[in-house]
Amino acid sequence: NSASVIKHSLNKNEEAFVVKRRKTVLKSLQKLKIHCSKDAVPNIALLGSGGGQRAMVGLLGSLVQLDKAGLLDCILYLSGVSGSTWCMASLYQEPDWSTKLEKVKNKIIKRLNGPGVSWGDAFAKLKKYYYEKDIFSLTDVWAVMAVTPYVKEINEHRVTSQHNKHKNDPFPIYTVIDKQCKQNREGDPWFEISPHEAGYSLIGAFVKTSSFGSQFDDGCKIKDQPEMDMLYLQALCGSATADMDENKKFIWQYIRVLFVQFVFSSTDPNSPSAGKCSQVLMDLVDMNLSVLNGIDPFDLHESIRTNLNELTGGKSQHIFQVEKLNLADKEAAKLHMRKYTLDICIYSDECVCIIDVCFSICKCAVWWIWGTKYDFLHNMTDKTVPRALLESETRDYIDAGLLLNSPYFSVLREERDIDLIISLDFSDGDPFMTVREAAETCKKLKIPFPEVNITSEDVKKPKDFYVFKGQNAPTVIHIPLFNVVNCGDDIEAWRYKYRTFQGPYSAEKITDLMEVAGKNISNNRKKLLEQIQADIRKKRSRRFNNSEYKLI
């Protein structure tokens, strides 16, 4: 059954997994000499924030130390945002990775220190994305252009292939947000993807993960689309540039690099038409960059018109007239450039179908199309779901870090019944923003969450371990990556060394970051054990108070 559903219960496969995993957690607690009955086993979720390669390497270093501390088998859920999902995608390629983490870690680090994906392989992958599905977007470009230089592979595994291969690992949840819900402040922006289902965490609207992206009408699938692979999922989760207008210049520059590499290496030098078509494309990209930089693009327009005339035997002579743009009116200039670009793309599609992928990329950049999928709730009728979600033909999914840089709302689903959240924060800037914003949002949505109070001294000089507790809420342990314990007085130097937007890390930087992230676990093993024991007592007490046997 590939229908989309609206429910407030766990997927049956996830339920079965949880039952088995809780047995593993119980055994792990016994090994740690922690007394616990079957019904008091705590449900523990580990969260990895966003932060590009810093988050990827930081999460790996933290997991290695959790394993050495004997605590990895206590984790029920592993959920990530953005860069943390890059680590998860690498781990979950390996069946039962947590039983052989040292070996898996070495394999990942060897790959990160090795050669990157070749331009030829990357462009072949991009063309595959373009031709195999209905909706192409900048997320496809981001996957091959921005993700592969960091992860050094084209990971074509599917999330659903993780089903039944990870009986000894925590349950993985990858998170993104719905862009329209975020922008219009309506509905439920929190969107999760697991091996079994994909959907809106809080309103409980889900579809099988294998069918996410396929076309639906009134809850029934009407057109299949291929299931996304892990490379695309990493780009979907890690598309931090997708929501910011100021990033348009950055993306056009990325596109220019892409075209220089691909177009001129793949066009036939003996074909004059291919060369002219390539030149039209490059001039078009440079025109967009010129307007964004406040430079008159008229000379580039003349070059485009000349080449198009030669390609079409003079038929385009009077089509693309352009006057000198008033660059002082930035919005008008951008609107003009959008129309001009789309006109050239449409005309070029009809005249010279040599590099149609590239012209489509230009169209996506002009319309700023990211992570677009068919809406699996289209034309359903349900009063509990916001109307916008039922009326849309498509939805756009982007990096969750653009709203909240930690995946709290995937594990705060009531039916997951989480007792303890361990939040590993690899964010840039304020190391408490994620936990503070999670608390504020929970207050608005009436979701149980402990109160979060941070002193100004802590913001300046964060420690390596914070615990927040509430009466009927999960305990939250918050661990900032760089802090006074593992960095001393050099916190700012560490932050600068591991900025979010920089090239892939050297082997030395990876080793150092693994070590500093790992210290946050190894230095706090005793405190983690104490909090687990406290949550067992809390759970036992709550169950006793709710039982029919309690004394009145």
Side-chain angles (χ1 to χ4, degrees), residues 107-362:
K107 189 175 174 183
I108 292 170
I109 290 175
K110 186 180 178 185
R111 189 185 76 231
L112 295 182
N113 291 334
V117 173
S118 72
W119 284 106
D121 287 348
F123 196 50
K125 183 64 182 169
L126 188 62
K127 285 198 287 189
K128 191 178 175 193
Y129 281 149
Y130 177 73
Y131 288 111
E132 74 179 4
K133 57 187 176 179
D134 288 359
I135 306 172
F136 181 74
S137 77
L138 289 175
T139 306
D140 298 281
V141 183
W142 195 246
V144 300
M145 276 295 291
V147 177
T148 58
Y150 291 101
V151 300
K152 306 278 184 79
E153 67 172 349
I154 294 174
N155 184 346
E156 293 188 316
H157 290 79
R158 302 283 191 260
V159 191
T160 53
S161 69
Q162 296 172 11
H163 182 39
N164 284 334
K165 290 182 181 172
H166 297 280
K167 292 175 182 173
N168 294 302
D169 301 320
F171 188 84
I173 308 169
Y174 303 83
T175 59
V176 292
I177 53 168
D178 180 308
K179 183 179 177 178
Q180 287 91 339
C181 285
K182 173 190 181 281
Q183 288 181 335
N184 303 329
R185 299 187 178 184
E186 62 184 12
D188 172 16
W190 317 104
F191 196 92
E192 62 179 67
I193 299 157
S194 82
H196 307 301
E197 60 184 7
Y200 295 87
S201 301
L202 301 186
I203 58 172
F206 291 93
V207 69
K208 274 187 177 181
T209 300
S210 56
S211 297
F212 175 49
S214 291
Q215 194 173 6
F216 282 78
D217 186 74
D218 192 18
C220 295
K221 193 194 286 187
I222 57 172
K223 188 178 183 185
D224 253 326
Q225 293 288 286
E227 184 190 339
M228 63 183 171
D229 62 19
M230 294 305 292
L231 175 63
Y232 181 88
L233 179 59
Q234 288 172 92
L236 196 69
C237 292
S239 53
T241 51
D243 196 42
M244 307 171 202
D245 216 42
E246 60 266 31
N247 286 318
K248 290 192 175 178
K249 196 189 296 183
F250 175 65
I251 291 297
W252 277 108
Q253 284 165 340
Y254 245 93
I255 290 169
R256 195 182 193 289
V257 172
L258 175 79
F259 289 175
V260 167
Q261 292 288 340
F262 291 154
V263 176
F264 294 113
S265 62
S266 60
T267 50
D268 181 0
N270 299 316
S271 165
S273 62
K276 285 184 174 60
C277 187
S278 299
Q279 193 56 55
V280 167
L281 191 61
M282 292 308 301
D283 288 342
L284 191 60
V285 173
D286 285 337
M287 277 187 82
N288 276 277
L289 275 168
S290 293
V291 170
L292 288 169
N293 287 315
I295 300 165
D296 192 326
F298 189 76
D299 290 347
L300 292 161
H301 157 70
E302 287 291 291
S303 171
I304 287 175
R305 199 167 64 161
T306 301
N307 280 306
L308 277 181
N309 271 328
E310 289 180 23
L311 280 164
T312 61
K315 288 178 189 172
S316 69
Q317 184 70 45
H318 305 291
I319 294 177
F320 300 109
Q321 300 297 334
V322 72
E323 297 169 12
K324 293 258 180 180
L325 285 177
N326 176 14
L327 293 166
D329 187 343
K330 287 183 182 176
E331 283 310 306
K334 279 197 263 185
L335 281 172
H336 177 91
M337 202 58 231
R338 175 191 289 177
K339 184 179 184 311
Y340 182 89
T341 303
L342 292 170
D343 285 346
I344 295 283
C345 288
I346 291 162
Y347 191 80
S348 300
D349 274 353
E350 292 169 3
C351 297
V352 279
C353 300
I354 297 166
I355 36 180
D356 48 352
V357 179
C358 298
F359 282 113
S360 287
I361 291 169
C362 289

